Amino acid sequence: MQGRYRSIGSFGACGKLAIEQVSEYNQGMTAEPVEPVEEPSADSMPDDADTAMRNGLLSAASLAEARWQRLNEEDADDERRRAPVSARAHTWAMTLGGPKLAAMLADVDVASLSDDECVVFAQAVTRQQSWTDMMLFDVTAAFAAHRPGPDETERRFGFPPGPGVERRIQLGGEDTRPLGSFAASEWAAALKVSRAIATRLIADSLDLTARLHVVMFNARGGNGDTRRARMIADRTRWLDPATLTAVQSEITPILATVTAGKLEQIIDRIVGTRDPAAAKARAERASQRREVWIGHTRDEHADIYGTLDGIGATVLDHRLDELATAIGRVVRAHGEPAGFGPDDQSFDQRRARALVLLAAPVQVARLMRLARELRSPASDEPASDEPTDAETADGAEADDPGQECAGLLDAITLYVHLGADGTLDLEDLGVLSMPTVRDLLATTTATVRVAPVIDLNATYTSPGYRPSVQLREQTVLMRATCWFPYCERPSRACDYEHSVPWPRGPTETGNAGPACRGHHRVKTHGNWRLHQACTGVYVWQAPTGHVYIVTPDGTHALS
C-alpha cells in the first residue's frame, strides 16, 4: 500500500470567473446581441498567460475569452456553432417540468429536429421525466399513509395471534411514518414490479417527501434527477436530522454538476466527518450483505454477482487487469494453442477469462511465466506449453498450488489520500475508516510508503512530449476522473493529454488533463473544441455548439 498526503488546490474563483465569462460568450448563440467586454485582447496577452493571470495582469475571465477568441478564429465552422437557436428550442430550455412542458413535447415531430434541437429536446424530456418521477414519489408516500398497519392494541384484540400476521414496520428514516408490512406487496402488484422493488420505492418516497424536501424540490425543478435523488435517500436513511440537514446544505449546489458516483463519495465523506458512528454502523450493515452468487447458465454462460469489501474488490480489480494484460500478450505471441483463448478477445473478455483462471493457480502461474518470458526473455529457447513439474499430465494441480504464483504476480499499489478534513480516501473507492486501514495493515503484508506532497498550485514543465513523473502525478491528483463532462473514469487509468496539442502546446500543468481512451479520441477526432481556461478548468464545446465547463467541483452545462 502506498500512502500519499494530498494537498488541496484552490480552483473556486478561477472556475467561477471562467463560467461567468463563457456564459456571456454562449449568449452569442441567441438572437440577442451581447455588449463586448473591455478586457485585454488576445494580441496583447503575454506568452506565459497563466503566469500573467497569477500576477494579476489578466483575470481568469479575460484569459478564457482571449483564448476562446483565438479558437473561434481558427475554427472553420464557427458561424454554424454560434447560429441563433430556434425559438421553440429556447422555449423548451426555459420551461420547467410540468403539464405545460409535457404538452409542448407531445406536439413535436422528432424527425423534424436539427442536431442542436435534439439535444435541447432530450434535456427537456429528462426534466419532464424527473418531474413525473417526483409525482410517483408523492403518490407512493400518500398510499403508504393509507396503510398504517395494525398498532399493538389492534393486533392484540382485532387480529388473530400467531406468526405471519401483518405488523408495523419502519422503511424510511427517522421521522417517517411506519406502515403495514403487507403494503409493499399491494403496491408491487399495482405497479407490476417485484416486492423488493416496491419496498425500496416506498422507502425512498417516504424519505424524499418527509426528510429530503430540498433534494426533492431541486429534482422536481430539473436541478438533479431521479437517480441522484434516490441515491441520496438511500445513503442518508439512517442519519439523524442534524447531520441530514448538513448533508443537504452541502450537496444542493452541486446536485446537477457531479455524477451520481461522485455525489455518493461526497456524502460518505461528510457523514464520515460529522457522524463517524453512523458511517461505522452503515459499514457494519453492509458487511452483513457480503455475498457472491452465480446465476443460471444461459447460452453456455452464467452471470455472477456479489458484494465484497472495498479493499478486497479493489485488489481483485487490479489483479484481473494484470492477468487480462498477460493473456493478451501470450495469445498474441502463441495463439490459441497456448490455452488462453483466441487472440481476438477484447480486454473485457480477457478479464472474464482471468476471473475463471483464479480458481486454477497452476494455470495462473503458467500464464505469468509465459508472459514474463515474452516481456524479458531469459534464453533463446521458445516458451514450452508442456506441463511443468507442478502439473500432472492430466492438468491436476500440485499439493501447494499457491506456491506456483509466488514471485510471478506484481505487487498491487493502493493509493490512500489523507484529506484536509482528516478523512482517508482510497482511490477509485471512496472514504475509508481508520479501523479499516488498521485491520488492513494488521492482517496483510502491506508496505506503507508516504510519498512527498505534490503542490497542486505549482507549475511543472517537461521539455518533451511525455510528462515527468511529478507532472503526471500532479495531473492525476488535480482531477479524480477524466476531464470530459460527467465522465467517471478514474484519472489514474487515463492518458495524459495536452489541451493544445504538442508541440504547439507545452507539456506543463496549465496545458494538461487526464483523458480516458474513448474521450481522448473524441477530443482528437470528434469535432469537439477544448479550451483550458486556467489550470484545472476546461471549457468544452460540442459539435452542436453546447458548452460545458468542467472544474474540480463538477460539470456545468451552459444553456
Side-chain angles (χ1 to χ4, degrees), residues 358-420:
L358 290 178
V362 171
Q363 286 292 86
V364 173
R366 175 170 168 268
L367 168 68
M368 298 310 296
R369 278 196 296 271
L370 290 172
R372 181 163 295 187
E373 290 170 2
L374 292 170
R375 185 166 51 185
S376 52
S379 66
D380 295 333
E381 297 180 3
S384 174
D385 287 339
E386 295 299 320
T388 64
D389 295 339
E391 304 175 47
T392 62
D394 59 356
E397 297 180 4
D399 292 337
D400 189 8
Q403 294 296 324
E404 287 295 306
C405 299
L408 295 176
L409 296 173
D410 294 335
I412 293 177
T413 300
L414 302 180
Y415 294 88
V416 179
H417 302 285
L418 176 62

Side-chain angles (χ1 to χ4, degrees), residues 114-430:
S114 62
D115 58 347
D116 59 317
E117 286 181 328
C118 284
V119 173
V120 179
F121 186 86
Q123 292 171 342
V125 170
T126 302
R127 287 199 309 278
Q128 181 63 29
Q129 181 179 1
S130 181
W131 182 86
T132 304
D133 288 341
M134 296 306 115
M135 288 187 64
L136 177 60
F137 296 144
D138 285 331
V139 72
T140 299
F143 173 79
H146 289 293
R147 298 293 184 270
D151 61 20
E152 187 62 29
T153 302
E154 291 175 333
R155 195 167 71 86
R156 183 177 302 173
F157 297 104
F159 289 81
V165 300
E166 186 176 25
R167 65 187 189 280
R168 303 187 80 178
I169 58 175
Q170 184 87 20
L171 291 181
E174 187 176 342
D175 297 333
T176 62
R177 66 182 71 194
L179 71 156
S181 57
F182 295 164
S185 296
E186 184 178 358
W187 203 233
L191 300 183
K192 302 177 183 179
V193 297
S194 68
R195 185 165 64 92
I197 292 176
T199 299
R200 188 189 169 196
L201 174 60
I202 293 174
D204 292 344
S205 300
L206 293 173
D207 281 327
L208 287 167
T209 56
R211 288 162 48 89
L212 296 167
H213 304 288
V214 177
V215 172
M216 191 166 184
F217 176 82
N218 278 272
R220 197 188 304 273
N223 184 32
D225 56 21
T226 304
R227 181 188 175 194
R228 289 175 173 84
R230 297 195 66 173
M231 182 275 296
I232 295 169
D234 178 70
R235 301 301 295 179
T236 61
R237 180 152 297 136
W238 308 111
L239 298 183
D240 60 83
T243 305
L244 181 63
T245 300
V247 169
Q248 284 197 90
S249 63
E250 291 196 40
I251 66 175
T252 297
I254 58 174
L255 278 175
T257 63
V258 299
T259 62
K262 179 65 174 178
L263 190 61
E264 187 173 6
Q265 293 181 6
I266 292 173
I267 293 174
D268 290 346
R269 182 174 295 108
I270 296 171
V271 175
T273 303
R274 299 182 64 93
D275 194 351
K280 180 180 179 182
R282 185 177 181 88
E284 291 175 350
R285 286 194 297 271
S287 69
Q288 301 302 317
R289 300 196 302 270
R290 287 180 295 180
E291 62 176 354
V292 175
W293 61 278
I294 300 175
H296 298 294
T297 299
R298 295 175 300 178
D299 302 324
E300 302 182 1
H301 290 75
D303 295 328
I304 181 170
Y305 305 90
T307 300
L308 308 176
D309 69 273
I311 293 178
T314 302
V315 171
L316 176 62
D317 185 55
H318 286 291
R319 188 66 73 203
L320 292 179
D321 282 348
E322 179 187 2
L323 294 178
T325 301
I327 290 174
R329 184 179 298 121
V330 169
V331 297
R332 281 193 295 271
H334 299 286
E336 193 166 353
F340 299 105
D343 59 1
D344 60 349
Q345 301 173 99
S346 69
F347 187 76
D348 288 336
Q349 290 172 332
R350 297 200 302 268
R351 275 174 55 93
R353 185 176 292 273
L355 181 60
V356 177
L357 281 179
L358 290 178
V362 171
Q363 286 292 86
V364 173
R366 175 170 168 268
L367 168 68
M368 298 310 296
R369 278 196 296 271
L370 290 172
R372 181 163 295 187
E373 290 170 2
L374 292 170
R375 185 166 51 185
S376 52
S379 66
D380 295 333
E381 297 180 3
S384 174
D385 287 339
E386 295 299 320
T388 64
D389 295 339
E391 304 175 47
T392 62
D394 59 356
E397 297 180 4
D399 292 337
D400 189 8
Q403 294 296 324
E404 287 295 306
C405 299
L408 295 176
L409 296 173
D410 294 335
I412 293 177
T413 300
L414 302 180
Y415 294 88
V416 179
H417 302 285
L418 176 62
D421 55 2
T423 57
L424 294 169
D425 288 329
L426 176 61
E427 263 189 20
D428 305 343
L429 177 66

Side-chain angles (χ1 to χ4, degrees), residues 12-176:
C14 178
K16 182 178 179 182
L17 288 172
I19 292 170
E20 291 175 348
Q21 180 58 45
V22 178
S23 179
E24 292 181 2
Y25 160 81
N26 198 49
Q27 293 179 27
M29 297 173 61
T30 66
E32 298 179 3
V34 179
E35 291 295 328
V37 180
E38 296 184 1
E39 294 281 0
S41 64
D43 296 334
S44 63
M45 186 172 62
D47 293 336
D48 190 357
D50 282 319
T51 301
M53 183 193 69
R54 286 192 295 271
N55 293 337
L57 300 179
L58 283 173
S59 67
S62 61
L63 177 62
E65 184 189 18
R67 287 179 171 174
W68 197 254
Q69 287 175 348
R70 283 182 177 178
L71 291 175
N72 288 343
E73 295 168 358
E74 296 171 357
D75 200 324
D77 64 349
D78 180 62
E79 290 300 323
R80 185 187 66 81
R81 292 177 184 260
R82 294 175 61 96
V85 298
S86 66
R88 62 177 182 174
H90 179 75
T91 302
W92 301 333
M94 299 302 294
T95 305
L96 296 179
K100 182 178 179 181
L101 181 59
M104 291 180 186
L105 300 179
D107 292 336
V108 174
D109 178 13
V110 294
S112 68
L113 299 177
S114 62
D115 58 347
D116 59 317
E117 286 181 328
C118 284
V119 173
V120 179
F121 186 86
Q123 292 171 342
V125 170
T126 302
R127 287 199 309 278
Q128 181 63 29
Q129 181 179 1
S130 181
W131 182 86
T132 304
D133 288 341
M134 296 306 115
M135 288 187 64
L136 177 60
F137 296 144
D138 285 331
V139 72
T140 299
F143 173 79
H146 289 293
R147 298 293 184 270
D151 61 20
E152 187 62 29
T153 302
E154 291 175 333
R155 195 167 71 86
R156 183 177 302 173
F157 297 104
F159 289 81
V165 300
E166 186 176 25
R167 65 187 189 280
R168 303 187 80 178
I169 58 175
Q170 184 87 20
L171 291 181
E174 187 176 342
D175 297 333
T176 62

Side-chain angles (χ1 to χ4, degrees), residues 427-439:
E427 263 189 20
D428 305 343
L429 177 66
V431 178
L432 292 177
S433 65
M434 188 62 73
T436 298
V437 176
R438 292 196 193 100
D439 291 344

